[in-house]
Amino acid sequence: MIRRPPRSTLFPYTTLFRSRECLKLWGYERCDEIIWVKTNQLQRIIRTGRTGHWLNHGKEHCLVGMKGGATSINCGLDCDVIVAEVRATSHKPDEIYGIIERLSPGTRKIELFGRPHNIQPNWITLGNQVDGVRLLDPDLVRRFQERYPDGNCMVPPNLMSKT
């Protein structure tokens, strides 16, 4: 039996410092990137950004990496530039969710290091600032209940049996 590698698409936000190397290390091929041009309330480009190694960054990059030849991608539907206002720390523009949904409709999506403002319908948002477990997909609910019958996913399964 030939085992196919898992297919997935990755969208990491980055300041580009060694991030392309990480994609390769994780087995992803960088196929594109989305640029977020950060603006203030007057829609002017931010000139005093809080990120950057030598210069203040008025933009962030969201790399698009593919693994395993993902076939459910809708190419050419969106622009690779988002112009949006900066909000709270780590609060990315809402437009990115729509772009990802249109690029890869009907697929499962996971956001890592999420915060309450990141929670989106039909996404799994994981992060130490997200309260509780909210799963909507029936298959995920079943699998979660099998793995964590008491609903406590904060204790590793191998430790739960010892307590």
Side-chain angles (χ1 to χ4, degrees):
M1 178 171 91
I2 298 173
R3 187 177 168 134
R4 242 184 353 187
R7 297 179 192 184
S8 61
T9 310
L10 185 67
F11 296 87
Y13 267 98
T14 176
T15 57
L16 291 180
F17 191 73
R18 304 195 87 162
S19 52
R20 291 183 176 157
E21 293 173 25
C22 285
L23 282 182
K24 278 188 182 178
L25 183 67
W26 297 335
Y28 286 84
E29 177 184 340
R30 183 202 155 277
C31 59
D32 216 329
E33 64 186 64
I34 301 164
I35 306 296
W36 169 28
V37 178
K38 299 177 177 184
T39 63
N40 61 19
Q41 295 161 333
L42 301 173
Q43 296 300 301
R44 293 194 173 123
I45 294 176
I46 294 288
R47 302 214 183 270
T48 57
R50 291 174 275 180
T51 60
H53 301 285
W54 296 280
L55 300 171
N56 286 321
H57 291 179
K59 66 181 178 350
E60 282 190 32
H61 300 257
C62 178
L63 300 179
V64 180
M66 298 187 84
K67 181 183 207 176
T71 58
S72 61
I73 298 296
N74 290 324
C75 298
L77 293 179
D78 281 288
C79 181
D80 63 349
V81 177
I82 298 170
V83 179
E85 189 176 319
V86 171
R87 298 178 285 184
T89 300
S90 87
H91 198 152
K92 306 305 183 201
D94 294 334
E95 292 88 342
I96 192 67
Y97 297 103
I99 290 172
I100 293 171
E101 287 288 350
R102 288 185 296 276
L103 272 173
S104 188
T107 60
R108 288 196 177 136
K109 293 158 183 81
I110 300 174
E111 178 151 9
L112 302 177
F113 311 112
R115 295 182 179 190
H117 60 254
N118 299 116
I119 295 173
Q120 299 290 315
N122 302 316
W123 284 59
I124 299 170
T125 303
L126 304 173
N128 64 0
Q129 296 178 18
V130 177
D131 292 331
V133 175
R134 293 179 219 127
L135 298 174
L136 300 176
D137 182 288
D139 183 48
L140 288 177
V141 169
R142 179 188 55 76
R143 290 168 53 195
F144 180 85
Q145 289 171 342
E146 287 173 2
R147 176 88 182 221
Y148 305 102
D150 66 353
N152 184 2
C153 63
M154 299 307 292
V155 178
N158 58 353
L159 294 178
M160 288 179 11
S161 61
K162 296 177 184 175
T163 57

